[in-house]
Amino acid sequence: MKTVSKIVAAAAAAGAFEWALAEYFYKRTMIRSNAKVERTMKMAGTDWSQYEPFMKQRKEAMMAENMEDVYVMSRDGLKLHGTLIGNNPKKAVICFHGYTSKGMNDFIGLSGYYLPKGYTMLLVDERAHGDSEGKYVGFGCLDRFDALKWISFMKERFGEDIKLLLHGISMGGATVLMTSGLDIPTNVKGIISDCGFTSAKEVFTSVLNTMYHLPAFPLLNICDKMNQDRAGYGLDECNAAREVRKAKVPILLIHGDKDTFVPVSMCHEIYQNIKGKKKKLIVEGASHAESYYKDQAAYEKAMDEFIGGLEIE
């Protein structure tokens, strides 16, 4: 009897430890107040200091443009913020940033591509980021519905004839890919995803295995239940590799082959699942979200070729 009691006590202790560990991981990952940009940058491992002169130059040019703070309301009642740059009613790009970042950060470099070509840029702050409301990070699953709101905003602002691109980086890349599976307006002519992941669950699994040397089970199963109860969605409820099968617009995938944060294998998996028009660029030597800076020429060539095949210009 004492042996049984000891086994039960040990099992209870193990269960309590697993729950406490899951609670710790969940809070520092999913809740905006605990999700820190410094930690994300350290985990991503990209050395951004080498690009500071280039980014400074691009930022100065971007900040010289006319800007406007704009807002939409999400379907669950969050006030979402974006920064509108430019006023061309014919063509625009809606930009979605990465985890723990904000709209005005991740597209500094690419503003030097889009603005000279006459695009209006809408730099979105995704839910629970920047100046947008929200407690829980959406990891694309919730943000895809917010993307529909921003598409509607652009149509209302500039007219039914505006032609749109969706461009996302990292979590934003997953967001635009997940959006592709929805019934999106025909104004959207193409989607560009830079280092997007398949799902929150799969990228967390990779991080736990490679960076923390921890097994995903049962930690992520507990976190998944927590997230369903608190944030209202499952960590693998929406998977970009599944959503792109329903896509009706062309998709360009870009990824660095040295990305240790979001494995390039996810890019290949997503690409294989796209049934429609698609292109892929793998940038040699590029780490997470570094592709544009590592090989600007190849990146812009891929975009020129991709956009050249769309009804944009």
Side-chain angles (χ1 to χ4, degrees), residues 30 32 36 76 93 115 136 143 152 162 167 173 194 197 204 224 226 239 266 276 289:
M30 301 301 297
R32 80 178 294 165
K36 305 299 183 182
D76 54 344
V93 57
L115 293 176
Y136 298 102
D143 307 279
S152 295
I162 190 168
H167 194 149
D194 183 340
F197 51 75
F204 291 163
D224 183 62
M226 289 177 176
N239 186 303
M266 290 191 180

Side-chain angles (χ1 to χ4, degrees), residues 217-228:
F217 180 84
L219 182 63
L220 286 188
N221 296 69
I222 300 172
C223 289
D224 183 62
K225 181 63 168 62
M226 289 177 176
N227 206 52
Q228 290 184 47

Side-chain angles (χ1 to χ4, degrees), residues 180-181 240-248 269 273-276:
S180 75
R242 296 194 298 263
E243 293 303 310
V244 296
R245 297 172 190 168
K246 299 176 282 185
K248 297 179 181 179
E269 179 185 353
N273 278 277
I274 299 171
K275 305 302 181 184

Side-chain angles (χ1 to χ4, degrees), residues 62-63 67 83 85 102-108 123 125:
M62 183 179 77
M63 297 302 290
M67 297 186 179
T83 303
I85 307 176
K102 59 182 180 180
M104 288 291 286
N105 284 357
D106 288 6
F107 286 83
I108 291 173
L123 308 178
D125 285 346

Side-chain angles (χ1 to χ4, degrees), residues 116-163:
K117 293 180 181 296
Y119 284 85
T120 296
M121 296 185 74
L122 174 60
L123 308 178
V124 169
D125 285 346
E126 299 200 48
R127 59 172 54 219
H129 289 79
D131 291 328
S132 289
E133 294 180 345
K135 179 178 180 180
Y136 298 102
V137 179
F139 279 101
C141 188
L142 300 181
D143 307 279
R144 58 184 171 147
F145 299 110
D146 301 337
L148 293 181
K149 295 289 186 177
W150 286 116
I151 293 169
S152 295
F153 167 84
M154 294 297 280
K155 290 175 61 179
E156 293 171 8
R157 176 65 177 264
F158 294 106
E160 291 290 331
D161 294 332
I162 190 168
K163 297 175 180 178

Side-chain angles (χ1 to χ4, degrees), residues 259-279:
D259 193 335
T260 57
F261 196 39
V262 177
V264 69
S265 59
M266 290 191 180
C267 178
H268 297 314
E269 179 185 353
I270 293 167
Y271 186 80
Q272 291 172 358
N273 278 277
I274 299 171
K275 305 302 181 184
K277 295 181 179 180
K278 58 186 178 180
K279 289 182 180 292

Side-chain angles (χ1 to χ4, degrees), residues 251-263:
I251 296 174
L252 168 62
L253 300 179
I254 301 172
H255 217 110
D257 70 348
K258 299 301 182 183
D259 193 335
T260 57
F261 196 39
V262 177

